[in-house]
Amino acid sequence: MLELVGQVLAYSGVGLVVLVVGFFVIDALTPGNLGALVMEGNPNAAVLAATALVSLGLILWFAIFFTGAGWHGLDDALVYGAVGVGAQAVGFVVLDLLTPGKLGVVCQEEKLHPATLVSAAVQVAMALVVCASLT
């Protein structure tokens, strides 16, 4: 049982690292401090950050579930988590290139902007693509 607890802690650690890296990548793609914007009550920043984190959590769940439990799947979870972070970043950048204006700037607006919902949808869609590739 102690070994299983160690594995749970290790997977949780990998998951936390992927989530933190994912948050900082989205923060780097948007102007200003994403965390500060969320804490100031900005709905656009909150939707974007929350969707990115939930989407990465979904990728991690699939990575852990489909690569198998135990110590040998730990590196797979980290690799697939990193792939998820990269895929979400690429999706955000591509959407930004395809739409007029800058999506990152929309994140700073005080009123919820429809483009934020589209950005959130891209985050979820990219996560689902990565998840489907793991099955």
Side-chain angles (χ1 to χ4, degrees), residues 92-108:
F92 185 87
V93 170
V94 168
L95 180 64
D96 196 24
L97 292 172
L98 294 174
T99 55
K102 298 298 284 175
L103 291 175
V105 174
V106 169
C107 185
Q108 293 182 317

Side-chain angles (χ1 to χ4, degrees), residues 1-129:
M1 182 166 132
L2 190 56
E3 184 172 358
L4 289 177
V5 170
Q7 290 173 4
V8 168
L9 292 173
Y11 278 99
S12 296
V14 165
L16 186 59
V17 166
V18 170
L19 292 174
V20 168
V21 169
F23 182 86
F24 281 119
V25 167
I26 292 296
D27 184 32
L29 293 173
T30 58
N33 184 314
L34 188 59
L37 289 170
V38 169
M39 293 309 294
E40 291 168 4
N42 183 298
N44 296 297
V47 167
L48 184 60
T51 306
L53 294 173
V54 168
S55 296
L56 287 172
L58 184 64
I59 291 169
L60 288 165
W61 184 90
F62 268 79
I64 294 166
F65 187 81
F66 284 104
T67 59
W71 295 110
H72 66 278
L74 196 58
D75 56 343
D76 290 338
L78 181 60
V79 168
Y80 295 129
V83 167
V85 169
Q88 287 185 315
V90 169
F92 185 87
V93 170
V94 168
L95 180 64
D96 196 24
L97 292 172
L98 294 174
T99 55
K102 298 298 284 175
L103 291 175
V105 174
V106 169
C107 185
Q108 293 182 317
E109 293 183 13
E110 293 181 17
K111 183 178 174 188
L112 185 61
H113 193 284
T116 300
L117 301 176
V118 175
S119 295
V122 166
Q123 297 295 301
V124 172
M126 293 306 296
L128 291 174
V129 168

